[in-house]
Amino acid sequence: MLKSKLAGLGAVLALGVLTTAAFAQDKPVAGEVKDGSPKGKTLTFVSYGGIYQDGQVAALKEFVDKSGVKLLNDGPTEIAKLQAQVESGNVTWDVVDTGDLPPYVHCGKLFQKLDLSKLDVSKIAEGQVGECSVPAMNYGVVLMYNKEKYKDNPPKSWADFFDTEKFPGVRALDGSGDPTGGLLEQAFKVAGGDPKAMTAADIDKAIDVIRKLGPDTIYWKTGAESQQLAESGEADMLMMWTGRAMTAVKNGAKYAPAWQDWLVVMDQMTIPVGVKDTDAAYALLNAYLGKQSQEILAQQTSYTPINNDAQPKVDASVAAFLTNTPERQKQGYKQNIKFWVENFPLAQEKWSALMAGN
């Protein structure tokens, strides 16, 4: 009888070990790619072009080579286009890089609620994984100024950016899509307000500060255009993505960053509602989150990796624009995401009116 019980216990323990081992094998590990897992399948990855999307594609090369998937690229990301695809039931975008707010605004409607059992998010900083998104990378929106124009009296903050009397010159702002909450909060501060106490009615006050910059203000539509504005010297102060700013300086632009209150931003990686092969989309997403993929992305773009184990080898020109150093973290400004999600339609309406010249 005792032998029988021991044998039975042994069988149970063996089954438990096998089950645990199987579970461990099935649990995804960021960056790991199963050979031939989505072989023969086609995935379309959508992002914002330029050095950023080039870097993302390079980061996904191992996934493409090992998995056998055919990867197509499209862009730039446009929420209206994605909405049309979802509403028509013909979704052709499989994994989409978006700005920081859309996955919160459209969670469960345009973007799938993520099944985190299919992703390894253990190496991502706390608070960066959303219900419908994981971070694509961390970066900054930074004030860049013309060193030759401002010489020994350069602008040091967004307050200086909005001060056209003390710092005359042409400004250039991001007009590529949705409003940037952090910029509007900085404008509201100039108007005498407290961003922490901002209400929906205060959005107009922030927009008015931007409007008062004058008719010569340039609203760039793409990152490439912002880079060209710096390299040509057409704008004296620019709101720029750190990756584009880094590339412009590398290419000889006589500009420097004012890091105080740089706007902390992270693009988001999402899977749209209605994609034809969610498992393949998850496989791509999990590969992208890996240590090596994130190192490649950082090395090619200067954008900060979101895998905490990543240690990109970068030269001084790239390191100068990484945003994860203790100094940069102290200088960064984080927008009130909750406020902008709740007031997104109104902010978008007001911003669109400004873009239309109203």
Side-chain angles (χ1 to χ4, degrees):
M1 177 70 79
L2 180 60
K3 286 184 178 180
S4 176
K5 286 184 176 180
L6 288 173
L9 179 60
V12 169
L13 289 172
L15 180 61
V17 169
L18 288 171
T19 302
T20 302
F23 178 77
Q25 286 179 344
D26 289 338
K27 191 175 181 180
V29 176
E32 282 195 1
V33 183
K34 294 180 181 178
D35 290 347
S37 47
K39 188 175 182 180
K41 295 179 180 179
T42 299
L43 289 172
T44 299
F45 172 62
V46 182
S47 188
Y48 292 94
I51 63 159
Y52 178 40
Q53 192 160 354
D54 289 345
Q56 290 178 303
V57 171
L60 289 167
K61 185 178 185 302
E62 183 184 18
F63 168 72
V64 172
D65 290 345
K66 280 190 175 182
S67 69
V69 75
K70 180 180 180 182
L71 185 64
L72 303 179
N73 289 281
D74 201 359
T77 301
E78 292 183 30
I79 299 302
K81 282 187 178 180
L82 177 60
Q83 184 172 355
Q85 290 183 22
V86 172
E87 290 177 352
S88 70
N90 183 28
V91 177
T92 59
W93 291 353
D94 298 292
V95 176
V96 179
D97 182 308
T98 78
D100 48 3
L101 291 180
Y104 294 95
V105 176
H106 305 291
C107 186
K109 299 173 184 176
L110 299 182
F111 303 107
Q112 291 188 25
K113 294 182 179 180
L114 294 179
D115 180 353
L116 295 184
S117 70
K118 296 181 179 181
L119 297 170
D120 176 10
V121 297
S122 63
K123 302 299 182 181
I124 299 175
E126 185 178 352
Q128 292 197 15
V129 177
E131 190 175 14
C132 285
S133 62
V134 292
M137 49 76 178
N138 289 174
Y139 71 108
V141 170
V142 66
L143 162 56
M144 296 292 291
Y145 63 86
N146 187 321
K147 294 188 294 184
E148 294 181 344
K149 180 176 179 67
Y150 297 109
K151 298 180 181 177
D152 296 332
N153 183 36
K156 296 180 175 64
S157 67
W158 292 106
D160 292 341
F161 180 88
F162 290 114
D163 190 341
T164 55
E165 290 187 11
K166 186 177 179 181
F167 297 95
V170 175
R171 269 66 166 170
L173 289 165
D174 181 354
S176 64
D178 298 326
T180 301
L183 179 73
L184 293 177
E185 289 179 36
Q186 292 296 324
F188 184 53
K189 282 173 68 175
V190 169
D194 177 4
K196 292 180 181 179
M198 198 169 182
T199 67
D202 294 324
I203 295 174
D204 275 329
K205 295 177 184 177
I207 294 285
D208 283 342
V209 170
I210 295 173
R211 187 177 286 114
K212 288 175 183 175
L213 286 173
D216 60 350
T217 304
I218 301 168
Y219 295 95
W220 49 263
K221 301 302 181 187
T222 65
E225 185 184 354
S226 73
Q227 184 180 321
Q228 188 275 329
L229 289 169
E231 292 179 13
S232 67
E234 186 177 346
D236 300 304
M237 288 192 216
L238 298 95
M239 170 186 183
M240 292 186 75
W241 304 329
T242 47
R244 288 292 184 176
M246 180 272 295
T247 306
V249 171
K250 264 190 168 184
N251 289 347
K254 306 298 183 184
Y255 284 69
W259 282 107
Q260 186 57 47
D261 288 331
W262 63 273
L263 308 180
V264 178
V265 189
M266 60 179 179
D267 268 26
Q268 308 275 10
M269 293 287 267
T270 64
I271 299 175
V273 169
V275 299
K276 295 177 176 61
D277 194 329
T278 54
D279 286 342
Y282 274 108
L284 182 152
L285 209 50
N286 195 62
Y288 180 87
L289 299 178
K291 174 180 180 290
Q292 184 177 337
S293 294
Q294 288 298 304
E295 288 170 344
I296 291 170
L297 178 68
Q299 286 160 190
Q300 295 210 10
T301 66
S302 90
Y303 292 128
T304 303
I306 50 84
N307 185 306
N308 290 335
D309 289 345
Q311 295 180 322
K313 297 175 182 177
V314 297
D315 62 26
S317 64
V318 174
F321 284 91
L322 291 177
T323 59
N324 59 345
T325 65
E327 181 185 8
R328 292 288 172 264
Q329 289 297 302
K330 287 179 182 178
Q331 294 169 312
Y333 180 86
K334 296 180 181 179
Q335 66 176 329
N336 185 345
I337 289 181
K338 184 175 184 293
F339 174 83
W340 294 111
V341 169
E342 290 173 351
N343 294 282
F344 186 79
L346 179 62
Q348 194 172 42
E349 176 189 336
K350 302 290 185 182
W351 186 255
S352 296
L354 177 67
M355 294 300 99
N358 299 323

